[in-house]
Amino acid sequence: MRPWHGLDEVPRDWGGSVVAAGVFDGVHRGHQAVLAAAVERSRALGLPVVAVVLEPGFGGAGPDAAPPAVLTPIDRRAELLAALGAAAVCVLPAAPEPALFVRRVLVERLGAAAVAVGDGGLDLGRGAAIGAEELRGLGERHGFAVDVVAPVGGAEPVTSERVRALLEAGDADAAREALGRPHRVEGVVVHGAARGRELLGFPTANLECPPGTAVPGDGVYAGRMLLTEPAPGAAETAWPAAISVGTNPTFEGAARTVEGYALDRDDLDLYGRRMAMEFTHRIRGQRRFASVDELIEAMGRDVDRARELAGEG
């Protein structure tokens, strides 16, 4: 699904809708609950669901605060939201003041009959926000219902901030549980130092991710490599993998890299291809080895463990 970027891309003949609104970074289990509420309303009203993605939508910490790492690129967000039942996705920049946002976006352009949000309301960016109760009041004034969805996750609610913290700690398993799927990073495969193929016996794909990507903490992970733009009719598009994140301390590295080894494959030419790497389990933390031979032995154990985990599904 190609998202609408801005109100000008919303079709002029667009009719009424049920709106699910939020930043939706991660499209985690809490976001999924918001979409489920919107889908339930849409079935009752016979209207399509429009997911409004407020981007960047990180104004709560103040207009000059550095944005947090991005869990999910916009196009991937749109893909996930569509899979959850959104008929359309509308991406909007930091919004004007709340009443104007409601009138111009929800009422005039999207014809909202109902709006589903999380219990924290809406972060409009640049320090602006609409609380859940304020949105209910605006809904009464403009004639749309408001469904406020309770947090998911019990004592430790699932939030984008929590997912980022789990990833920073390297807890791929807990992040997978919070997201409802493995965390993935996307980018382009670029040339690296070629040590994996020429010295270590494990040829890796070096993934160059966009700045600001939420890359998990340094360590070795089991997961999957997959092409995000495969050629039509391609026989293979994904492979189980062992993935290393870090600075390669055994070789006194400085730059942080994300490198994936497709298990038991040394015949793949992936340079220049757009690829995603998914992190399912953490195998171990990053460490410096006393020799290349020790590193090779450890990598062999890592690959064995990644193979076991891939077999467990």
Side-chain angles (χ1 to χ4, degrees):
M1 171 190 290
R2 179 188 176 278
W4 302 327
H5 287 271
L7 295 181
D8 289 344
E9 293 195 5
V10 179
R12 288 294 168 185
D13 59 351
W14 186 261
S17 59
V18 172
V19 173
V23 176
F24 294 124
D25 191 21
V27 194
H28 54 61
R29 287 171 51 224
H31 297 145
Q32 293 164 28
V34 173
L35 263 292
V39 168
E40 184 176 352
R41 274 279 191 179
S42 75
R43 288 172 179 159
L45 297 174
L47 294 172
V49 173
V50 177
V52 171
V53 176
L54 300 168
E55 176 71 9
F58 299 125
D64 298 323
V70 175
L71 295 169
T72 315
I74 285 295
D75 286 348
R76 174 66 172 158
R77 253 178 264 187
E79 177 184 325
L80 291 168
L81 292 166
L84 292 167
V89 175
C90 183
V91 180
L92 299 176
E97 58 91 13
L100 186 59
F101 170 81
V102 168
R103 180 172 58 80
R104 289 190 60 209
V105 176
L106 300 182
V107 178
E108 294 178 358
R109 292 301 288 121
L110 298 179
V115 178
V117 296
D119 73 327
L122 291 177
D123 177 358
L124 298 177
R126 299 179 186 173
I130 307 177
E133 290 308 312
E134 181 183 7
L135 185 60
R136 278 197 171 109
L138 289 166
E140 291 177 2
R141 184 186 311 169
H142 290 284
F144 60 82
V146 175
D147 294 321
V148 178
V149 179
V152 171
E156 293 186 285
V158 175
T159 65
S160 298
E161 291 76 14
R162 174 162 169 71
V163 175
R164 291 187 191 95
L166 292 170
L167 292 170
E168 186 175 352
D171 196 341
D173 299 73
R176 187 181 73 250
E177 173 65 23
L179 290 166
R181 65 183 187 283
H183 176 63
R184 71 156 62 175
V185 299
E186 300 182 8
V188 177
V189 178
V190 298
H191 289 276
R195 294 191 196 98
R197 180 178 297 277
E198 297 175 4
L199 179 63
L200 304 175
F202 298 96
T204 59
N206 193 324
L207 193 68
E208 185 175 72
C209 303
T213 296
V215 176
D218 291 357
V220 179
Y221 299 83
R224 191 169 70 126
M225 298 163 48
L226 60 154
L227 296 173
T228 55
E229 296 179 359
E236 293 182 293
T237 60
W239 304 268
I243 305 168
S244 173
V245 177
T247 58
N248 295 300
T250 301
F251 298 100
E252 307 294 342
R256 194 162 183 253
T257 61
V258 179
E259 300 177 68
Y261 166 63
L263 300 182
D264 305 313
R265 299 296 297 268
D266 60 5
D267 58 337
L268 300 176
D269 182 5
L270 300 172
Y271 291 118
R273 304 293 299 274
R274 297 198 62 83
M275 173 166 279
M277 295 191 186
E278 295 182 341
F279 299 79
T280 57
H281 304 82
R282 182 180 174 91
I283 295 174
R284 64 171 173 87
Q286 179 181 252
R287 56 171 292 199
R288 185 181 187 279
F289 293 91
S291 69
V292 171
D293 286 342
E294 284 189 20
L295 172 60
I296 292 172
E297 289 179 10
M299 292 176 71
R301 293 191 296 271
D302 297 338
V303 168
D304 288 343
R305 182 59 179 148
R307 195 180 292 113
E308 290 173 5
L309 292 167
E312 293 172 7

